[in-house]
Amino acid sequence: MIVQTLIKPGEYRDSVALMLIARELTALPGVADVSVVMGTPANKAVLAQAGLLNDAANAATPNDLLIAVKAKDDAAARAALHKAQELLAQRAASPQIGSAARPRTLRAALRATPGANLAIVSVAGQYAAAQAWDALRAGLHVLLFSDHVAVEDEIALKEYARDQGLLLMGPGAGTALINGVGLGFANAVPRGNIGIVAAAGTGLQEVSTLIAKAGAGITQGIGTGGRDVSERVGGIMMLEGLRALQADPKTRVIVIVSKLPAPSVTEKILAQVGTSDKPTVLALMSNLSLRGAIFATKQSPIREVEIASHKTLAMTARDLREAAALAVALSRGESVNAARKKLAAEDRALAIKARALRRKLNARQRYARGLYSGGTLCEETMRIWQASLGAVWSNAPLDPKFKLPDSNQSRRHTVVDLGEEEFTIGRPHPMIDNSVRVKRLLQEARDPSVAVIALDVVIGYGAHPDPAAELGAAIAEAKAIARKRGRELIVVASVTGTENDPQSLSRQTIALKKAGTIVLESNAVVAKFASCIVG
Amino acid sequence: MKLESFDRQLTVINVGLETFAESVRAQGVEVVDVDFRPSPYDAPRLYRTRAGVDIEAANAEAVRRIASGKAVLVGLGIARDVIPGMRDQMILHAGPPITWDRMCGPVRGAIIGACLYEGWAQSPDDAAQLAAGVGAQLVGVQLGGAQLVGAQLIAPLRFEPCHHHHAVGPMAGIISPSMPVWIIENAAFGNRAFCTLNEGLGKVLRFGAFAPEVIEKLKWMETTLYPALDRAVRSMDGGVDIKNLIAQALYMGDECHNRNKAGTSLFLRAIAPALARTCGDRETIARVIEFIDRNDHFFLNLSMPAAKALTEPAEGIEGATIVTTMARNGTDFGIRIAGLPGQWFVAPAGRVKGLYFPGFTEADANPDMGDSTITETAGFGGMAMAGAPAIVKFVGGVPQDALDATLEMYDICATEHNTFLIPALNFRGAPLGIDVRRVVETGISPRLNTGIAHKEPGIGQVGAGLLRAPIECFVAAFEEMRPTTDDR
């Protein structure tokens, strides 16, 4: 047995705290006895009795903290003294106290909760970058929901995050699924083996919920914010997210969701996809095939990978529904072609149903209208209608030629993104409050040229607690308005959500159906169905 | 890319929309919801100074020095012998520099008292005349050096802040050359700090009283109390570790600024045996013990110079935005920061909210006064309110208010103290190192605990209470540090 001591001059701790430390040290292997006390004569006398007082300990003053360890060998004694220093340095978090004491800064919150590892920032744009900096500098991943963050700030934040191995999701990232937790506008999706990285928030919600509806699940859903895939930002987080999923052992299949990236960014994404042997589905919201995209990327190494070998199984999906279906098939090791065939069969059945409904309409009812709360879903519908119907007017059109002169007045085939800023200044987003959409729905119902109205209903965390109640009443009224004028109005919608969402997928679906809505499985199907009615 | 948190439980901090915090909480995840409010001063983040110094690193060094310092009472001395730069005809006062014409009543009263105590004047009128002459000279009127006061020729008085001489003083903070002072040594950095001995409550010099009994008591302190205590302290091997006593007192319900019951008891316990051994006269021992025992604030004049000794080593760290001085002279409130040690940032002293002794009201109160806010600067006092719930009675509060007060201070401080711990907050360290950047960012100004002096000289203490430091000082210091471009 040997005795070793450590004296911390001038360090004071309450005796109860010291006894707790002593108890913990005594439990260490090879340690026979421990005393952690202030160096008062009385304490030293007790130490002497216990055979713990050596010359060094005897020199301690009443103002010194004295740690004495009796152990079987030098190594055990040293380990105990080391542990003692560690315990003395430890700081406890303060208990949760009433809401009156909420911290005013992220730094103070972090001190009270040292284990925090992710920050959600949704303050007004001009303050958002500073908050994101605080979080990143403290080593936290960030979901930056705020808009109106300068692109220079976005680049600087993302470069810093990348160098620190952190995620900076956003700005303008509304959705993320991290470790099974839905952040921002997100859905209660089960865990699984499909990872998603998305530069499109509702795109992430749609794909993840379609995967859930098919009985599969998600590892991580990383949002990047829409501007990430622009030329200037260069896809910094898209690439980092992709790398993270490629490295994540739980992720078997990767889905990339984005509006069409800048060509240089597409090239980088494809190059990164080619570095991993994980099957990857690209839903780039474009009509390009992957081969077309590869062709466009000139000397990208993926061409060789894709063409010369089947090592990297990369494929494009035409829409979000196909992306989800392909990912689910891949995740189960099932045939991708079979999955595609199944979708085609569903499409055919849908077309027959649409044609049957069409007979109820009069000859003047020729146009489709889409009233959307989700930007990505809005764009998906525009792309599908553009392919089948031609020109599609919008406040956020694919082709600037078809920008509505007045966003409040539809023309021919029109899709309106009600989440655009012009509709949300001073008002809540349509995912939270449908009043603008309800008004517009009734307005479209009075238009004799309208045959069908397509809607998205996005539920989940952050969304309206019961959108079907609000929308259902409006849909019933819209149909009544049309009927009073001697015509039928078709309303078709999909619910982006899951059964476990607070609003419940089935409850929303039933309420919408009761109001006379045709509720379909996905937004892509809704768009196709509507286009069959007027096409 | 290391995304190790993929394997870790998520713990979220939410800054912004409360619904996001609620929905994360609904998923069973721990979330802290920050009560974000934009800076009322529209201030950019400062990460580097104009010269490119990393402020964060400079501040870390500043608080490291403050936290790692020692504060040991090594003895006592007479001001003129031990305080560096102290000269005959010099009077030190609390707070930032000030001239006689702008001094408040209690400070003038205390200066009159000091003149009587030193024998520079025979009557209060003579003393005021002497002091006023000097004041006029300081504001630029040439009186030609010495002047005739009463019947004798007196050299002009010189007023300087205690803080310019490594000293601090409560309330008026008057130190004249013959006064005995405590000597606190910071052995870790080799600097010393000084403070007079606390006179007790009632009519006392620090509140501007100068009646004959006030002067008599000061004389007793000089001739009886001082030698007895000095002998006792010097006989104690290694002196008395005041930092350690502060840490213990914080465990016992003191915050060592406005409540010093435990600290005073601990000090008395520490010194009593040495006093008994070194003082031959039983009656003197009894009177010394009685004097300390009857003054719950006796320890304040030890906790203050301890704070001063602890904070001074942080002065002069380039780029540091940590406050090293907060002090008031009853007219102005001034701060100094570690990166700009010679510069005072000054705003009008605030009004104290508090409880008044019978017969007095807020109308009688002098604005905030004294160097005692050095305690908040050093990481106790108002910073450690959570450890002293009894104090909230001054403003009719409840113990929860004391907890909230300390929790709020974490928002504006650089770190937590490693020795001054707060049991009620699960032994978290008290907030340490007021950072002017965070004060300006949050609009939260430091909370102060203080006594209230009557605005007229000679009356004394009329109450005690709480207030906040005027934020303008911090904004001015921030502006001084702010670079021309926003550099991260």
Side-chain angles (χ1 to χ4, degrees), chain A residues 96 99 102-103 120 181-184 461, chain B residues 10-14 17-34:
Chain A
Q96 281 289 337
S99 62
R102 277 170 65 194
I120 304 174
V181 180
L183 306 172
Y461 304 115
Chain B
L10 217 55
T11 302
V12 172
I13 295 179
N14 185 59
L17 300 171
E18 278 179 50
T19 54
F20 287 167
E22 284 161 21
S23 62
V24 171
R25 197 172 290 126
Q27 294 172 75
V29 172
E30 185 185 351
V31 54
V32 184
D33 197 13
V34 173

Side-chain angles (χ1 to χ4, degrees), chain B residues 464-488:
Chain B
L466 312 176
L467 79 162
R468 285 183 192 268
I471 201 160
E472 295 82 358
C473 310
F474 301 86
V475 175
F478 180 85
E479 290 298 332
E480 189 68 23
M481 295 298 284
R482 180 178 181 164
T484 41
T485 55
D486 183 12
D487 167 35
R488 346 193 120 87

Side-chain angles (χ1 to χ4, degrees), chain A residues 251-270:
Chain A
T251 299
R252 299 271 300 279
V253 177
I254 297 170
V255 184
I256 297 172
V257 183
S258 173
K259 297 179 183 184
L260 186 63
S264 65
V265 177
T266 307
E267 198 168 330
K268 283 190 255 182
I269 293 170
L270 293 177

